[in-house]
Amino acid sequence: MSNNVAGVDNTFRRKFDPEEYRELARERERKEEPKGHVQRKPLKHRDYEVNLTSSLGKTQVVTPVAPLSQQAGYYCRVCECVVKDSANYLDHINGKKHQRMLGMSMRAERSSLKQVQERFQVLKKRKDIGAFTEKDFDDRVLKHQEEEEERKRLRREKKKEKKKEAVEEPEMDPDVAALMGFGGFRSSNKK
């Protein structure tokens, strides 16, 4: 055997050249400049209510060939994806990917002192108009308790009706009963 092995010389180790990578980055920036930088809008409040309870308690047939919008879970029309539970759906719609698809950055708009003062004035007026008292709270609690009692009463009535229906014998045609061999199930003791 020979000590001279033909092949690749892999004893050379490449050194990191910062200037070379700086030049590559500058070149990439020059190529991207003509396209223009996409300026995203700052974050803003949602103008709609997120409804997480619309499909609560409903059954759904899930097939592997169904389109995304008809699969189990919460479907996001903006990102065209399905999220399996409400907590992850909330994380998704508040997340970076979803906000970018809506054209927003994750930065909030910086408010001026005047805007903050105006906002405080609006909130102060709203608070004065609808001053909340303990009596209002007691009235709301009382109303809620009455509604709950009414719901319970209705539930009990429904249960009683179901029991009555289950106990009552269905009326049978006398001809059909005779044909089947039933003379009746009445007792022989007559009162």
Side-chain angles (χ1 to χ4, degrees):
M1 281 230 252
S2 158
N3 285 345
N4 293 339
V5 178
V8 180
D9 179 19
N10 61 3
T11 58
F12 170 76
R13 185 167 183 181
R14 189 167 178 207
K15 303 278 192 243
F16 175 74
D17 183 15
E19 192 55 43
E20 178 185 348
Y21 287 101
R22 278 191 205 113
E23 187 57 40
L24 287 171
R26 285 186 203 119
E27 193 173 312
R28 188 177 63 238
E29 285 175 0
R30 275 186 242 124
K31 288 180 183 176
E32 290 177 359
E33 267 182 32
K35 296 176 187 173
H37 179 69
V38 176
Q39 182 65 33
R40 297 186 186 279
K41 297 179 286 186
L43 278 176
K44 63 176 185 171
H45 289 285
R46 233 181 255 119
D47 56 355
Y48 59 92
E49 186 74 24
V50 178
N51 188 358
L52 298 175
T53 59
S54 63
S55 58
L56 189 65
K58 292 185 181 175
T59 354
Q60 181 179 5
V61 177
V62 180
T63 60
V65 293
L68 277 177
S69 61
Q70 295 175 357
Q71 288 185 2
Y74 295 89
Y75 177 69
C76 176
R77 286 184 175 85
V78 176
C79 304
E80 295 180 352
C81 66
V82 175
V83 186
K84 297 299 178 189
D85 59 36
S86 59
N88 286 330
Y89 181 68
L90 280 175
D91 287 344
H92 168 75
I93 62 175
N94 292 328
K96 186 188 287 186
K97 178 184 173 191
H98 185 79
Q99 297 300 327
R100 283 212 173 148
M101 295 291 277
L102 289 173
M104 288 188 264
S105 70
M106 292 302 287
R107 294 198 172 112
E109 186 177 11
R110 191 152 174 88
S111 298
S112 67
L113 176 63
K114 186 176 181 181
Q115 289 173 320
V116 173
Q117 289 172 338
E118 289 172 357
R119 182 72 178 156
F120 277 137
Q121 291 300 322
V122 168
L123 293 174
K124 191 174 182 182
K125 286 178 185 175
R126 188 185 311 167
K127 184 179 177 186
D128 291 342
I129 291 170
F132 189 75
T133 63
E134 282 188 39
K135 185 181 182 309
D136 294 337
F137 179 73
D138 292 340
D139 290 343
R140 285 175 56 195
V141 168
L142 187 62
K143 183 179 176 186
H144 181 70
Q145 286 175 346
E146 289 171 357
E147 289 173 355
E148 187 65 29
E149 287 174 11
E150 181 65 21
R151 277 194 294 268
K152 286 180 182 178
R153 187 185 62 76
L154 289 173
R155 238 182 272 138
R156 281 193 299 260
E157 285 179 8
K158 282 183 182 179
K159 280 185 179 181
K160 285 180 183 178
E161 286 177 19
K162 284 184 181 180
K163 283 184 180 180
K164 270 187 180 179
E165 289 174 6
V167 170
E168 291 178 2
E169 288 183 26
E171 288 296 320
M172 193 178 266
D173 188 27
D175 297 334
V176 174
L179 191 64
M180 293 175 70
F182 301 141
F185 294 108
R186 293 182 176 88
S187 67
S188 58
N189 297 346
K190 294 188 179 181
K191 296 180 184 178

Coordinates of all heavy atoms in Angstrom, one line a residue, residues 48-128:
Y48 N -64.0 44.1 14.8 CA -65.1 43.1 14.8 C -64.9 42.3 16.1 O -63.8 42.3 16.7 CB -64.9 42.2 13.6 CG -63.6 41.5 13.5 CD1 -63.4 40.2 14.0 CD2 -62.5 42.1 12.9 CE1 -62.2 39.6 13.9 CE2 -61.3 41.5 12.8 CZ -61.1 40.2 13.3 OH -59.9 39.6 13.2
E49 N -66.0 41.6 16.4 CA -66.0 40.7 17.6 C -65.5 39.3 17.2 O -66.0 38.7 16.3 CB -67.4 40.7 18.2 CG -67.5 39.9 19.5 CD -66.9 40.7 20.7 OE1 -66.9 41.9 20.6 OE2 -66.5 40.1 21.7
V50 N -64.6 38.7 18.0 CA -64.1 37.4 17.7 C -65.1 36.4 18.4 O -65.3 36.4 19.6 CB -62.7 37.1 18.3 CG1 -62.3 35.7 18.0 CG2 -61.7 38.1 17.6
N51 N -65.8 35.6 17.5 CA -66.8 34.7 18.1 C -66.2 33.3 18.2 O -66.0 32.6 17.2 CB -68.0 34.7 17.1 CG -69.1 33.9 17.7 OD1 -69.0 33.3 18.8 ND2 -70.2 33.9 17.0
L52 N -65.9 32.9 19.4 CA -65.3 31.6 19.6 C -66.3 30.5 20.0 O -66.0 29.3 20.0 CB -64.2 31.6 20.7 CG -63.0 32.6 20.4 CD1 -62.1 32.7 21.6 CD2 -62.3 32.1 19.2
T53 N -67.5 30.9 20.3 CA -68.6 30.0 20.8 C -69.6 29.6 19.7 O -70.5 28.9 20.0 CB -69.3 30.6 22.0 OG1 -69.9 31.8 21.5 CG2 -68.3 30.8 23.1
S54 N -69.4 30.1 18.4 CA -70.4 29.8 17.4 C -70.6 28.3 17.1 O -71.7 27.9 16.8 CB -70.0 30.6 16.1 OG -68.8 30.1 15.6
S55 N -69.5 27.6 17.2 CA -69.6 26.1 16.8 C -69.5 25.3 18.1 O -69.3 24.1 18.0 CB -68.5 25.8 15.8 OG -67.3 26.0 16.3
L56 N -69.7 25.9 19.2 CA -69.7 25.1 20.5 C -70.8 24.2 20.6 O -72.0 24.5 20.4 CB -69.7 26.1 21.7 CG -69.4 25.5 23.0 CD1 -68.0 25.0 23.1 CD2 -69.6 26.6 24.1
G57 N -70.6 22.9 20.9 CA -71.6 21.9 21.1 C -72.2 21.3 19.8 O -73.1 20.5 19.8
K58 N -71.6 21.7 18.7 CA -72.1 21.2 17.4 C -71.2 20.0 17.0 O -70.1 19.9 17.3 CB -72.0 22.3 16.3 CG -73.0 23.4 16.5 CD -73.0 24.4 15.4 CE -73.9 25.5 15.6 NZ -73.8 26.5 14.6
T59 N -71.8 19.1 16.2 CA -71.1 17.9 15.7 C -70.8 18.2 14.2 O -71.6 18.8 13.5 CB -72.0 16.7 15.8 OG1 -73.1 16.9 16.5 CG2 -71.2 15.6 16.5
Q60 N -69.7 17.7 13.8 CA -69.2 17.9 12.4 C -68.6 16.7 11.9 O -67.7 16.1 12.6 CB -68.3 19.1 12.4 CG -67.8 19.5 11.0 CD -66.9 20.7 11.1 OE1 -66.5 21.2 12.1 NE2 -66.5 21.1 9.9
V61 N -68.9 16.3 10.7 CA -68.3 15.1 10.1 C -67.0 15.6 9.4 O -67.0 16.6 8.7 CB -69.2 14.5 9.0 CG1 -68.5 13.4 8.3 CG2 -70.5 14.0 9.6
V62 N -65.9 15.0 9.8 CA -64.6 15.4 9.3 C -64.1 14.3 8.3 O -64.0 13.1 8.6 CB -63.6 15.5 10.5 CG1 -62.2 15.9 10.0 CG2 -64.1 16.5 11.5
T63 N -63.7 14.8 7.1 CA -63.2 13.9 6.1 C -61.8 14.4 5.7 O -61.6 15.6 5.7 CB -64.1 13.7 4.9 OG1 -64.2 15.0 4.3 CG2 -65.4 13.2 5.3
P64 N -60.9 13.5 5.3 CA -59.6 14.0 5.0 C -59.5 14.8 3.6 O -58.6 15.5 3.3 CB -58.7 12.7 4.8 CG -59.7 11.6 4.7 CD -61.0 12.1 5.3
V65 N -60.6 14.6 2.8 CA -60.6 15.3 1.5 C -61.4 16.6 1.5 O -61.5 17.2 0.5 CB -61.1 14.3 0.4 CG1 -60.2 13.2 0.2 CG2 -62.5 13.9 0.8
A66 N -61.9 17.0 2.6 CA -62.7 18.2 2.7 C -61.7 19.4 2.5 O -60.6 19.4 2.9 CB -63.4 18.3 4.1
P67 N -62.3 20.5 2.0 CA -61.4 21.7 1.8 C -61.1 22.3 3.2 O -61.8 22.0 4.2 CB -62.3 22.7 1.0 CG -63.7 22.1 1.1 CD -63.6 20.7 1.4
L68 N -60.1 23.1 3.3 CA -59.6 23.6 4.6 C -60.7 24.3 5.4 O -60.9 24.2 6.6 CB -58.5 24.6 4.4 CG -57.1 24.0 4.2 CD1 -56.1 25.1 4.0 CD2 -56.7 23.3 5.5
S69 N -61.6 25.1 4.7 CA -62.6 25.9 5.3 C -63.7 25.0 6.0 O -64.4 25.4 6.8 CB -63.3 26.8 4.4 OG -63.9 26.1 3.3
Q70 N -63.7 23.7 5.6 CA -64.7 22.8 6.2 C -64.1 21.7 7.1 O -64.8 20.8 7.5 CB -65.5 22.1 5.1 CG -66.3 23.1 4.2 CD -67.0 22.5 3.1 OE1 -66.8 21.3 2.8 NE2 -67.7 23.2 2.3
Q71 N -62.9 21.9 7.4 CA -62.3 20.9 8.3 C -62.5 21.3 9.8 O -63.0 22.4 10.1 CB -60.8 20.8 8.1 CG -60.4 20.1 6.8 CD -59.0 20.0 6.6 OE1 -58.2 20.3 7.4 NE2 -58.6 19.4 5.5
A72 N -62.2 20.4 10.7 CA -62.5 20.6 12.1 C -61.6 21.7 12.6 O -60.4 21.7 12.3 CB -62.3 19.4 12.9
G73 N -62.1 22.6 13.5 CA -61.2 23.7 14.0 C -61.7 25.0 13.6 O -62.8 25.2 13.0
Y74 N -60.8 26.0 13.8 CA -61.1 27.4 13.4 C -60.4 27.7 12.2 O -59.1 27.6 12.1 CB -60.7 28.3 14.6 CG -61.5 28.1 15.8 CD1 -61.1 27.2 16.8 CD2 -62.7 28.9 16.0 CE1 -61.9 27.0 17.9 CE2 -63.4 28.7 17.2 CZ -63.0 27.8 18.1 OH -63.8 27.6 19.2
Y75 N -61.1 28.2 11.1 CA -60.4 28.5 9.9 C -60.2 30.0 9.8 O -61.0 30.8 10.0 CB -61.4 28.1 8.7 CG -60.9 28.4 7.3 CD1 -59.8 27.8 6.8 CD2 -61.5 29.4 6.6 CE1 -59.3 28.1 5.6 CE2 -61.0 29.7 5.3 CZ -59.9 29.0 4.8 OH -59.4 29.3 3.6
C76 N -58.9 30.3 9.4 CA -58.6 31.7 9.2 C -58.6 32.0 7.7 O -57.8 31.4 6.9 CB -57.2 32.0 9.8 SG -56.6 33.6 9.4
R77 N -59.5 32.8 7.2 CA -59.6 33.2 5.8 C -58.4 34.0 5.3 O -58.0 33.9 4.1 CB -60.9 34.0 5.6 CG -62.1 33.1 5.6 CD -63.3 34.0 5.3 NE -64.5 33.2 5.2 CZ -65.3 32.9 6.3 NH1 -64.9 33.3 7.4 NH2 -66.4 32.1 6.1
V78 N -57.8 34.8 6.2 CA -56.7 35.6 5.8 C -55.5 34.8 5.5 O -54.8 34.9 4.4 CB -56.4 36.6 6.9 CG1 -55.2 37.5 6.5 CG2 -57.6 37.5 7.2
C79 N -55.1 33.9 6.3 CA -53.9 33.0 6.2 C -54.2 31.7 5.5 O -53.3 30.9 5.2 CB -53.3 32.8 7.6 SG -52.9 34.3 8.4
E80 N -55.5 31.4 5.3 CA -55.9 30.1 4.8 C -55.3 28.9 5.5 O -54.6 28.1 5.0 CB -55.6 30.0 3.3 CG -56.3 31.0 2.5 CD -56.0 31.0 1.0 OE1 -55.1 30.2 0.6 OE2 -56.7 31.7 0.2
C81 N -55.6 28.9 6.8 CA -55.1 27.8 7.7 C -56.2 27.4 8.7 O -57.1 28.2 8.9 CB -53.8 28.2 8.4 SG -54.0 29.5 9.6
V82 N -56.0 26.2 9.2 CA -57.0 25.7 10.3 C -56.2 25.6 11.6 O -55.1 25.0 11.6 CB -57.6 24.4 9.8 CG1 -58.5 23.8 10.9 CG2 -58.4 24.5 8.6
V83 N -56.8 26.1 12.6 CA -56.2 26.0 14.0 C -57.2 25.2 14.8 O -58.4 25.4 14.7 CB -56.0 27.4 14.6 CG1 -55.3 27.3 15.9 CG2 -55.3 28.3 13.7
K84 N -56.7 24.2 15.6 CA -57.5 23.2 16.2 C -58.3 23.6 17.4 O -59.4 23.1 17.7 CB -56.7 22.0 16.5 CG -56.1 21.3 15.3 CD -57.2 20.8 14.4 CE -56.6 20.2 13.2 NZ -57.5 19.9 12.1
D85 N -57.9 24.6 18.2 CA -58.6 25.0 19.4 C -58.6 26.5 19.5 O -57.9 27.3 18.9 CB -58.1 24.4 20.6 CG -56.6 24.7 20.9 OD1 -56.2 25.8 20.7 OD2 -55.9 23.8 21.4
S86 N -59.5 27.0 20.4 CA -59.8 28.5 20.5 C -58.5 29.2 21.1 O -58.3 30.3 20.6 CB -61.0 28.7 21.4 OG -60.7 28.2 22.7
A87 N -57.8 28.6 22.0 CA -56.6 29.3 22.5 C -55.6 29.5 21.4 O -55.0 30.6 21.3 CB -56.0 28.5 23.7
N88 N -55.3 28.5 20.6 CA -54.4 28.7 19.5 C -54.9 29.6 18.5 O -54.1 30.3 17.8 CB -54.0 27.3 19.0 CG -53.1 26.5 19.9 OD1 -52.3 27.1 20.6 ND2 -53.2 25.2 19.8
Y89 N -56.2 29.6 18.3 CA -56.8 30.5 17.3 C -56.5 32.0 17.7 O -56.2 32.8 16.9 CB -58.2 30.3 17.1 CG -58.9 31.2 16.1 CD1 -58.6 31.1 14.7 CD2 -59.8 32.1 16.5 CE1 -59.2 31.9 13.8 CE2 -60.4 32.9 15.5 CZ -60.1 32.8 14.2 OH -60.7 33.7 13.3
L90 N -56.8 32.3 19.0 CA -56.5 33.6 19.5 C -55.0 34.0 19.4 O -54.7 35.1 19.0 CB -56.9 33.7 21.0 CG -58.4 33.9 21.2 CD1 -58.7 33.9 22.7 CD2 -58.9 35.2 20.6
D91 N -54.1 33.0 19.7 CA -52.7 33.3 19.5 C -52.4 33.6 18.0 O -51.6 34.4 17.7 CB -51.9 32.1 20.0 CG -51.9 31.9 21.5 OD1 -52.2 32.9 22.2 OD2 -51.5 30.8 22.0
H92 N -53.1 32.8 17.1 CA -52.8 33.0 15.7 C -53.2 34.4 15.2 O -52.5 35.1 14.6 CB -53.5 32.0 14.9 CG -53.5 32.3 13.4 ND1 -52.4 32.1 12.6 CD2 -54.5 32.7 12.6 CE1 -52.7 32.5 11.4 NE2 -54.0 32.8 11.4
I93 N -54.5 34.8 15.6 CA -55.0 36.1 15.1 C -54.3 37.3 15.7 O -54.3 38.4 15.2 CB -56.5 36.3 15.2 CG1 -57.0 36.2 16.6 CG2 -57.2 35.2 14.3 CD1 -58.4 36.5 16.8
N94 N -53.6 37.1 16.9 CA -52.8 38.1 17.5 C -51.4 38.1 17.1 O -50.6 38.9 17.5 CB -53.0 38.1 19.0 CG -54.4 38.5 19.4 OD1 -55.0 39.3 18.8 ND2 -54.8 37.8 20.5
G95 N -51.0 37.0 16.3 CA -49.6 36.8 16.0 C -49.0 37.6 14.9 O -49.8 38.2 14.1
K96 N -47.7 37.5 14.7 CA -47.0 38.2 13.7 C -47.4 37.8 12.3 O -47.6 38.7 11.4 CB -45.5 38.0 13.9 CG -44.6 38.8 12.9 CD -43.2 38.4 13.0 CE -42.5 38.8 14.3 NZ -41.1 38.6 14.3
K97 N -47.5 36.5 12.0 CA -47.9 36.1 10.6 C -49.2 36.6 10.2 O -49.3 37.2 9.1 CB -47.9 34.5 10.6 CG -48.2 34.0 9.2 CD -48.3 32.5 9.3 CE -48.9 32.0 7.9 NZ -49.3 30.6 8.0
H98 N -50.2 36.5 11.0 CA -51.6 37.0 10.7 C -51.6 38.5 10.5 O -52.2 39.0 9.6 CB -52.5 36.6 11.8 CG -54.0 36.9 11.5 ND1 -54.7 36.2 10.7 CD2 -54.7 37.9 11.9 CE1 -56.0 36.7 10.6 NE2 -56.0 37.8 11.3
Q99 N -50.9 39.2 11.4 CA -50.9 40.7 11.3 C -50.2 41.1 10.0 O -50.6 42.1 9.4 CB -50.2 41.3 12.5 CG -50.9 41.0 13.8 CD -52.3 41.6 13.8 OE1 -52.6 42.6 13.3 NE2 -53.2 40.9 14.5
R100 N -49.1 40.4 9.6 CA -48.4 40.8 8.4 C -49.3 40.5 7.2 O -49.3 41.3 6.2 CB -47.1 39.9 8.3 CG -46.1 40.5 9.1 CD -44.7 40.2 8.5 NE -43.7 40.9 9.3 CZ -42.5 40.5 9.5 NH1 -42.1 39.4 8.9 NH2 -41.7 41.2 10.2
M101 N -50.1 39.4 7.2 CA -51.0 39.2 6.1 C -52.1 40.3 6.0 O -52.6 40.5 4.9 CB -51.7 37.8 6.3 CG -50.7 36.6 6.2 SD -50.0 36.4 4.6 CE -51.3 35.4 3.8
L102 N -52.4 40.9 7.1 CA -53.4 42.0 7.1 C -52.7 43.3 6.7 O -53.4 44.3 6.6 CB -54.0 42.1 8.5 CG -55.0 41.1 8.9 CD1 -55.4 41.2 10.4 CD2 -56.2 41.0 8.0
G103 N -51.4 43.3 6.6 CA -50.7 44.5 6.2 C -50.3 45.4 7.3 O -50.1 46.6 7.2
M104 N -50.1 44.8 8.5 CA -49.7 45.6 9.7 C -48.4 45.1 10.3 O -48.1 43.9 10.1 CB -50.8 45.4 10.8 CG -52.0 46.2 10.5 SD -53.1 46.2 11.9 CE -54.2 44.9 11.5
S105 N -47.7 46.0 10.8 CA -46.4 45.6 11.5 C -46.8 45.3 13.0 O -48.0 45.5 13.4 CB -45.4 46.7 11.5 OG -45.8 47.8 12.3
M106 N -45.9 44.8 13.7 CA -46.2 44.5 15.1 C -46.0 45.7 16.1 O -46.0 45.6 17.3 CB -45.4 43.3 15.6 CG -45.8 42.0 14.9 SD -47.6 41.6 15.2 CE -47.6 41.1 16.9
R107 N -45.7 46.8 15.5 CA -45.4 48.0 16.3 C -46.7 48.9 16.4 O -47.5 49.0 15.4 CB -44.4 48.9 15.6 CG -43.0 48.1 15.6 CD -41.9 49.1 15.4 NE -40.6 48.4 15.6 CZ -39.8 48.1 14.6 NH1 -40.1 48.5 13.4 NH2 -38.7 47.5 14.8
A108 N -46.9 49.4 17.6 CA -48.1 50.2 17.8 C -47.7 51.7 17.4 O -46.6 52.1 17.5 CB -48.5 50.2 19.3
E109 N -48.7 52.4 17.0 CA -48.5 53.8 16.6 C -48.2 54.6 17.8 O -48.8 54.5 18.8 CB -49.8 54.3 15.9 CG -49.6 55.7 15.3 CD -50.9 56.1 14.6 OE1 -51.9 55.5 14.7 OE2 -50.8 57.2 13.9
R110 N -47.2 55.5 17.6 CA -46.8 56.3 18.7 C -47.8 57.5 18.9 O -48.0 58.2 17.9 CB -45.4 56.8 18.5 CG -44.8 57.5 19.7 CD -43.3 57.3 19.7 NE -42.7 58.1 20.8 CZ -42.5 57.6 22.0 NH1 -42.8 56.4 22.2 NH2 -41.9 58.4 22.9
S111 N -48.3 57.7 20.0 CA -49.3 58.7 20.3 C -48.6 60.0 20.8 O -47.6 59.9 21.5 CB -50.3 58.3 21.3 OG -51.0 57.2 20.8
S112 N -49.2 61.1 20.4 CA -48.6 62.4 20.9 C -49.3 62.7 22.3 O -50.3 62.1 22.7 CB -48.9 63.5 19.9 OG -50.3 63.8 19.9
L113 N -48.8 63.7 23.0 CA -49.3 64.1 24.3 C -50.7 64.6 24.1 O -51.6 64.2 24.9 CB -48.4 65.2 24.9 CG -48.9 65.8 26.2 CD1 -48.9 64.7 27.3 CD2 -48.0 66.9 26.6
K114 N -51.0 65.3 23.0 CA -52.3 65.8 22.8 C -53.3 64.7 22.6 O -54.4 64.7 23.2 CB -52.3 66.8 21.6 CG -53.6 67.5 21.4 CD -53.5 68.4 20.2 CE -54.9 69.1 20.0 NZ -54.9 70.0 18.9
Q115 N -53.0 63.7 21.9 CA -53.9 62.5 21.6 C -54.2 61.8 22.9 O -55.3 61.4 23.2 CB -53.2 61.5 20.6 CG -53.2 62.0 19.2 CD -52.4 61.1 18.3 OE1 -51.4 60.6 18.7 NE2 -52.9 60.9 17.1
V116 N -53.2 61.6 23.8 CA -53.4 61.0 25.1 C -54.3 61.8 25.9 O -55.3 61.3 26.6 CB -52.0 60.7 25.8 CG1 -52.3 60.2 27.2 CG2 -51.2 59.8 25.0
Q117 N -54.1 63.1 26.0 CA -55.0 64.0 26.8 C -56.4 63.9 26.3 O -57.4 63.9 27.1 CB -54.5 65.4 26.8 CG -53.2 65.6 27.6 CD -52.6 66.9 27.4 OE1 -52.8 67.6 26.4 NE2 -51.7 67.3 28.3
E118 N -56.6 63.9 25.0 CA -58.0 63.9 24.4 C -58.6 62.5 24.8 O -59.8 62.5 25.1 CB -57.9 64.0 22.9 CG -57.6 65.5 22.5 CD -57.4 65.6 21.0 OE1 -57.4 64.5 20.3 OE2 -57.1 66.7 20.5
R119 N -57.9 61.5 24.7 CA -58.4 60.2 25.0 C -58.8 60.1 26.5 O -59.9 59.6 26.8 CB -57.4 59.1 24.8 CG -57.8 57.7 25.0 CD -58.8 57.2 24.0 NE -59.1 55.9 24.2 CZ -60.2 55.3 23.8 NH1 -61.1 56.0 23.1 NH2 -60.5 54.1 24.1
F120 N -58.0 60.7 27.4 CA -58.4 60.7 28.8 C -59.7 61.5 29.0 O -60.6 61.1 29.8 CB -57.3 61.4 29.7 CG -56.2 60.4 30.1 CD1 -54.9 60.7 30.0 CD2 -56.5 59.1 30.5 CE1 -53.9 59.8 30.4 CE2 -55.5 58.2 30.9 CZ -54.2 58.6 30.8
Q121 N -59.9 62.6 28.3 CA -61.1 63.4 28.4 C -62.3 62.6 28.0 O -63.3 62.7 28.6 CB -61.0 64.7 27.6 CG -60.0 65.7 28.1 CD -60.3 66.2 29.5 OE1 -61.5 66.4 29.8 NE2 -59.3 66.4 30.3
V122 N -62.2 61.9 26.9 CA -63.3 61.1 26.4 C -63.7 60.0 27.4 O -64.8 59.8 27.7 CB -62.9 60.4 25.0 CG1 -63.9 59.3 24.6 CG2 -62.8 61.5 23.9
L123 N -62.7 59.3 28.0 CA -62.9 58.3 29.0 C -63.5 58.9 30.2 O -64.4 58.2 30.9 CB -61.6 57.5 29.3 CG -61.1 56.7 28.1 CD1 -59.8 56.1 28.5 CD2 -62.1 55.6 27.7
K124 N -63.1 60.1 30.6 CA -63.6 60.7 31.8 C -65.1 61.1 31.6 O -65.9 60.8 32.5 CB -62.8 61.9 32.1 CG -63.1 62.5 33.5 CD -62.1 63.7 33.8 CE -62.3 64.3 35.1 NZ -61.5 65.4 35.4
K125 N -65.4 61.6 30.5 CA -66.8 61.9 30.2 C -67.7 60.6 30.2 O -68.8 60.6 30.7 CB -67.0 62.6 28.8 CG -66.5 64.0 28.8 CD -66.6 64.6 27.5 CE -66.0 66.0 27.5 NZ -66.0 66.6 26.1
R126 N -67.2 59.6 29.6 CA -67.9 58.3 29.6 C -68.1 57.8 31.0 O -69.2 57.3 31.3 CB -67.2 57.3 28.7 CG -68.0 56.0 28.5 CD -67.3 54.9 27.8 NE -66.6 55.4 26.6 CZ -65.7 54.6 26.0 NH1 -65.3 53.5 26.4 NH2 -65.1 55.1 24.9
K127 N -67.1 57.9 31.8 CA -67.3 57.4 33.2 C -68.3 58.3 34.0 O -69.1 57.7 34.8 CB -65.9 57.5 33.9 CG -65.9 57.0 35.3 CD -64.5 57.1 35.9 CE -64.5 56.6 37.3 NZ -63.3 56.8 38.0
D128 N -68.3 59.6 33.8 CA -69.3 60.4 34.5 C -70.7 60.1 34.1 O -71.6 60.1 34.9 CB -68.9 61.9 34.2 CG -67.6 62.4 34.9 OD1 -67.2 61.6 35.8 OD2 -67.1 63.4 34.4

